[in-house]
Amino acid sequence: MQVQDTPEEWQVVASAIPFKGNKTSVRTDDVVMPDGSVVRRDYQVHPGSVAVLAVDDQDRVLVLRQYRHPVRQKLWEIPAGLLDVPGENPLHAAQRELYEEAHAKAGEWHVLTDVYTTPGGCDEAVRIFLARDLAEAEGERYAVAEEEADMEVERVPLAELVRGILAGELHNNCLVVGVLSLVAARAGDGLDALRPADAAWPARPFES
């Protein structure tokens, strides 16, 4: 048996959007179950995101510490951001986020992994890139505001992040998935076996 997620869409007999926010909305669907019953499902509609696991030549990961109001914590995270433009190339978005949040650029890019963050209640899809050959970006730093104005930027050894994840001290999903995926890739077929940075992404199709 091949273990692989597959597309499937159950019949929706009614749909409404009771809330629409600045970037996301809430959709209510009446979905036909396999036994013929109809069940209501509420979920957040999300444009999708990209995240960047940026690793330098000393095996340190570029991380950010940012306040996240819903969980009332400052979390250590990796650079990430929304796919603000429909059909936007995710690599271009990831390069933009690395520049805006960390004033950095990378000479080598691969797709590390693709995930649905909370598929039981949100359709957000995230592509996590591995970025290497890091350097400081040219020009002025991007002007930050709101929560990002208080953001801290550090480079932390990969091994320390692994320890913190397994100890329950680090909780951001992109950080956790990205770090452990990198460790798994190194232990498996190696980083050269990762998908190219422009690999197709069915969850969020884009133009090259």
Side-chain angles (χ1 to χ4, degrees):
M1 182 183 70
Q2 186 176 14
V3 181
Q4 180 177 331
D5 297 336
T6 55
E8 184 165 345
E9 188 167 350
W10 292 1
Q11 182 184 5
V12 175
V13 295
S15 186
I17 301 177
F19 170 79
K20 188 170 185 179
N22 185 34
K23 298 293 186 181
T24 67
S25 59
V26 173
R27 181 183 294 277
T28 297
D29 288 342
D30 291 342
V31 186
V32 179
M33 297 289 108
D35 63 1
S37 63
V38 176
V39 177
R40 180 157 292 175
R41 292 287 179 258
D42 302 313
Y43 59 99
Q44 182 185 21
V45 178
H46 194 285
S49 306
V50 292
V52 184
L53 190 78
V55 184
D56 68 14
D57 57 5
Q58 298 180 52
D59 214 29
R60 299 176 303 175
V61 177
L62 197 157
V63 291
L64 319 167
R65 189 168 182 246
Q66 185 173 351
Y67 176 66
R68 293 301 188 183
H69 186 71
V71 295
R72 307 302 199 272
Q73 289 193 31
K74 273 193 169 182
L75 300 181
W76 286 104
E77 307 178 350
I78 57 178
L82 298 176
L83 290 168
D84 294 312
V85 181
E88 182 178 16
N89 187 307
L91 174 59
H92 298 166
Q95 292 169 332
R96 180 189 67 232
E97 293 301 330
L98 184 61
Y99 160 70
E100 291 181 356
E101 296 191 347
H103 198 65
K105 63 180 182 178
E108 186 175 348
W109 292 81
H110 285 88
V111 173
L112 189 54
T113 190
D114 300 323
V115 295
Y116 292 115
T117 54
T118 49
C122 179
D123 71 350
E124 180 183 15
V126 179
R127 168 156 282 187
I128 303 176
F129 289 91
L130 173 64
R132 294 180 291 172
D133 187 19
L134 300 185
E136 185 173 356
E138 296 89 359
E140 296 183 2
R141 288 185 172 271
Y142 181 79
V144 295
E146 300 175 349
E147 288 94 342
E148 291 184 351
D150 188 49
M151 191 164 59
E152 305 167 46
V153 181
E154 298 287 350
R155 294 191 182 197
V156 177
L158 178 69
E160 175 60 20
L161 294 177
V162 172
R163 186 208 62 77
I165 289 167
L166 299 180
E169 299 169 358
L170 300 170
H171 307 91
N172 175 263
N173 57 355
C174 290
L175 172 69
V176 171
V177 172
V179 165
L180 297 185
S181 293
L182 175 58
V183 172
R186 287 177 171 176
D189 294 332
L191 302 186
D192 290 340
L194 292 172
R195 287 172 291 163
D198 60 353
W201 189 16
R204 293 294 185 274
F206 62 92
E207 297 180 4
S208 300

